[in-house]
Every structure is written in structure tokens, then in C-alpha cells.
Amino acid sequence: MIRRRKFLTGLAALSGLMTASCGWKLGDVKASSTLSSAFDKLHLFTWTQYTDSKLLKNFSTQTGIKVLADVYDANEVMLAKLQASGGGTYSLIYPSDYMVEKMVNKQLLKQIDSQRLIGLDNLFPRFQNPEYDPNNSYSIPMSWGTTGFIYNSEKLTTAPQDWDYLWENQQKLSKRITLINDAREVIGGVLKMLGYSYNSQNESQIKQAYEKLQILKPDIAAFSTDAWRNQIMSGDLVLAMCYSSDAFQLTRENPKLKYITPKSGSSLWTDTIALPRTTSNIDGAYEWINFMLKPEVAARISQRLGIATPNRAGFELLPQEIQNNPTLFPPEEVLEKCERLTPVGEFEEVYGRYWTKLTSA
């Protein structure tokens, strides 16, 4: 159900990315001597934005391991495919934080052998023992971000600061705003505005959030996770609820666009690297994880792909203008008010019921 981030075009299935030089050498990573020709392929199942030809070619050049990548646009798509195939042939997958919890409970992930990792201590402390996966037993953080608003600073002379901006300026924003097409994110944001938890399991609170959204609905142009980008770039929209990684890309292209994380709090998410229980190349998988933990690699990926790295050593290699960019790296006082989305079990049905009423009425 949770979809997130910009899915780059023209990358539906990367394969056979081998020895060509990519123009940025990120340090030596040698393939394990135990790798035989039968295990010289690494098959990734990932979000599109986390792979590109430069990254895959560089890894292949340095290790001799051929990388193939399939991509998905939602955690649930990945989960369904793995369940349908009994794990499939994937060496590595990229579940988001809440999905790690779900997959551990379903016994779909292989526990990580920390003795085979090099560079885990490069991570920021908050990512070394995350609440969704204590001690990184089943996952390694890859990127992180927040949910907030991107807006046109030329057309909105008063900048939004919090969720209540939408209701206070409802007529001015009419039909020129979009919200993410996601029940937990949208209802969660309104719950936060009302002083409740993003992960509330109180139906009375969910109903209050729904009623608040019903007031706003006539002036919402659409519930859209992806389609808003072209519209806000063209000026058809003046504000869109979005993920920080998406916003960073667009604010780099158009300085008139700005991003804010609501001051009363929002959602905080992390995408990870994990081993499916049936991983097809365990040695190659650890080579990849250790490659991704290298500070030089983390910094270059963050800078080129526009994602927030959880790697402290990599962060320290970034240019100051990126380190100080609050879209990618919000100040601590903002993060303290954010919450991670967590699985709510059977209560998910309550969110779904009110979401259906809101979006179908």
C-alpha cells in the first residue's frame, strides 16, 4: 500500500552490467575467493532510484560479479512476488522499515551475519539499532527521509509551516493541491495535526481525521503519489504532499519550489537492504552490502541520486550545500517530532474503510 519516491524512467530491467569503466572509482572491493562461476551473478529486487548503470557497472568492474536488477514501485508488490514464488531467485531486496517487520514475522528474511559486514559502524547511531529491526539483525539502512509538502514559493507568498495550512488557505489552494494516494500517510498526517499518533489504533481518532479530510476534499485536485510532479513543475499545482527524496530532485531543477516537513511532525521512513530467506548468492550479497557501506559509495549515491544517506562517514564526504540541505537532512528538532509508520495488524482494515469512504465519495 505504501508507495514512495520518484521511479526513474527507462530502467525497467537492468541486466548484464559488467566491466565498463564508469568514471568514478569508489575504492577496491574484491570478490570473495569462494565465489565460483556458478555464483558470479547477483540478482537485485529494488526501487528503481537505487540502481543505475554507473553504480552496477562499478560494482561489477571491481568484483567480477554480474549484476541483474528487477525493480518495483511498492513494497507490497515486492512482498507479493516473493510470496508467490517462494522467495524466487533474488540475492537481495530493498524493503522499507515497516516491511522489514512484516517480512521478519512472515519468516521471509535471512538473519544477517554481522561478522561478515565491513563498515556497519559508519552508520549514524540512530540507524545502528533501529526500532523496526533491533541491532540490524535482518536489514541494513540504505536511505531515509520524511513526508511533507513541496510548494511553489512564487505563487504562495505565505509559506506553509504545518498541516493546518491546508485548511486555513483552502479557498486559495482549491484544486491546486494534491495529497499522497496512501491511507496511512494522509490520515496519519491529520492525526499528527490533531495531536495523536501517526500509528493510532483508536477508531474515534481515525474518524476525527476522516471528518477533517472530508472538509478539505472538495478542494483537493487528486490523491496522487507520482503524477503531481509534472503538474507542479508546470505551475498547475501550487502544493503537493510528497516524500522528501522526490522533493529534493525537483527543488534542484526548479529553485522556485521549496519543501517543508510539517512542524507538528510527520512520518520518518527508512529503506533498507535485506537478504531474502532463499537468497541465491549469499557471498555476492555480502559483497554488495559491504560495497554499499563504503563511505565513498554512500556519498556518491547520495549526491548523484539525491537520497539522504544513513552513513555518517559518507555524509561527511558530501559538499556543505548538501549536508546543510534541510530537505534531505532535516534539523534534529524536526526529526524529534516525526514518527515511523508501524504495522497495525488487523486495525489496517479501519484505515482502509475510512480511506475508501474518503476517496470514493
Side-chain angles (χ1 to χ4, degrees):
M1 192 171 79
I2 293 182
R3 296 163 57 88
R4 112 168 10 128
R5 301 161 304 276
K6 182 178 181 181
F7 311 126
L8 306 180
T9 59
L11 208 61
L14 293 169
S15 62
L17 295 173
M18 284 291 288
T19 56
S21 172
C22 64
W24 51 284
K25 187 171 179 62
L26 302 178
D28 293 328
V29 179
K30 301 299 183 184
S32 170
S33 60
T34 64
L35 288 174
S36 68
S37 59
F39 296 98
D40 63 355
K41 292 182 181 178
L42 194 67
H43 201 168
L44 310 181
F45 198 24
T46 180
W47 302 94
T48 307
Q49 78 182 86
Y50 294 154
T51 61
D52 68 2
S53 58
K54 288 185 178 181
L55 176 68
L56 302 188
K57 286 178 181 177
N58 189 65
F59 176 78
S60 294
T61 298
Q62 296 188 35
T63 65
I65 301 173
K66 182 178 180 180
V67 183
L68 302 96
D70 292 339
V71 297
Y72 55 86
D73 62 1
N75 279 286
E76 284 67 25
V77 171
M78 176 270 294
L79 176 62
K81 186 168 183 180
L82 260 65
Q83 289 180 309
S85 64
T89 60
Y90 295 111
S91 313
L92 290 162
I93 55 175
Y94 279 60
S96 300
D97 42 21
Y98 81 100
M99 184 55 70
V100 171
E101 292 186 72
K102 283 189 176 183
M103 297 185 77
V104 169
N105 290 337
K106 293 177 180 293
Q107 299 183 330
L108 291 172
L109 298 183
K110 188 177 185 65
Q111 191 160 0
I112 290 174
D113 181 0
S114 61
Q115 297 300 311
R116 299 189 65 173
L117 298 181
I118 303 170
L120 195 59
D121 56 352
N122 287 336
L123 298 176
F124 283 103
R126 68 157 42 94
F127 295 105
Q128 292 188 26
N129 185 31
E131 57 202 27
Y132 61 86
D133 182 21
N135 300 313
N136 300 108
S137 297
Y138 292 91
S139 65
I140 303 300
M142 161 68 190
S143 75
W144 64 280
T146 62
T147 305
F149 297 117
I150 188 171
Y151 67 97
N152 188 318
S153 62
E154 279 196 346
K155 297 187 177 182
L156 296 180
T157 53
T158 303
Q161 298 293 321
D162 210 344
W163 299 99
D164 57 7
Y165 181 91
L166 304 183
W167 285 265
E168 292 172 357
N169 296 273
Q170 186 168 344
Q171 295 306 310
K172 182 194 302 184
L173 300 172
S174 183
K175 298 301 182 181
R176 304 187 75 188
I177 60 173
T178 60
L179 300 182
I180 289 172
N181 185 22
D182 186 281
R184 291 291 307 279
E185 284 283 10
V186 173
I187 295 174
V190 181
L191 286 168
K192 199 69 176 174
M193 180 183 73
L194 295 172
Y196 304 131
S197 169
Y198 236 89
N199 300 296
S200 172
Q201 295 188 48
N202 181 316
E203 184 163 355
S204 174
Q205 295 175 0
I206 308 301
K207 184 179 180 182
Q208 289 178 54
Y210 160 77
E211 291 171 345
K212 192 76 174 173
L213 285 163
Q214 277 285 76
I215 297 171
L216 186 65
K217 188 187 174 182
D219 295 299
I220 299 173
F223 294 95
S224 167
T225 303
D226 302 314
W228 56 269
R229 296 182 185 90
N230 289 337
Q231 293 173 297
I232 202 161
M233 290 290 279
S234 67
D236 293 336
L237 294 176
V238 294
L239 182 148
M241 182 182 177
C242 68
Y243 300 108
S244 55
S245 52
D246 291 339
F248 181 73
Q249 296 283 0
L250 295 189
T251 55
R252 282 205 294 194
E253 294 177 33
N254 184 350
K256 298 174 185 176
L257 299 177
K258 310 292 183 184
Y259 175 82
I260 66 105
T261 303
K263 66 179 182 181
S264 63
S266 188
S267 72
L268 177 67
W269 50 264
T270 302
D271 288 337
T272 76
I273 306 174
L275 303 170
R277 183 173 48 80
T278 56
T279 181
S280 60
N281 183 351
I282 189 67
D283 293 315
Y286 279 108
E287 294 279 356
W288 178 266
I289 294 172
N290 287 332
F291 174 74
M292 298 297 282
L293 283 170
K294 293 178 71 66
E296 302 94 331
V297 175
R300 187 57 64 101
I301 291 172
S302 180
Q303 187 170 359
R304 196 179 71 252
L305 302 184
I307 58 177
T309 178
N311 190 312
R312 176 172 57 186
F315 173 83
E316 292 170 354
L317 297 177
L318 291 172
Q320 286 292 317
E321 62 267 22
I322 295 182
Q323 288 187 11
N324 296 330
N325 187 299
T327 298
L328 279 190
F329 301 103
E332 193 63 34
E333 58 267 25
V334 171
L335 296 179
E336 287 175 353
K337 295 180 179 179
C338 291
E339 290 182 76
R340 294 188 181 279
L341 287 174
T342 60
V344 293
E346 293 181 359
F347 199 81
E348 196 79 41
E349 183 275 331
V350 177
Y351 280 92
R353 176 156 39 87
Y354 281 102
W355 182 251
T356 299
K357 288 173 64 177
L358 176 69
T359 56
S360 62

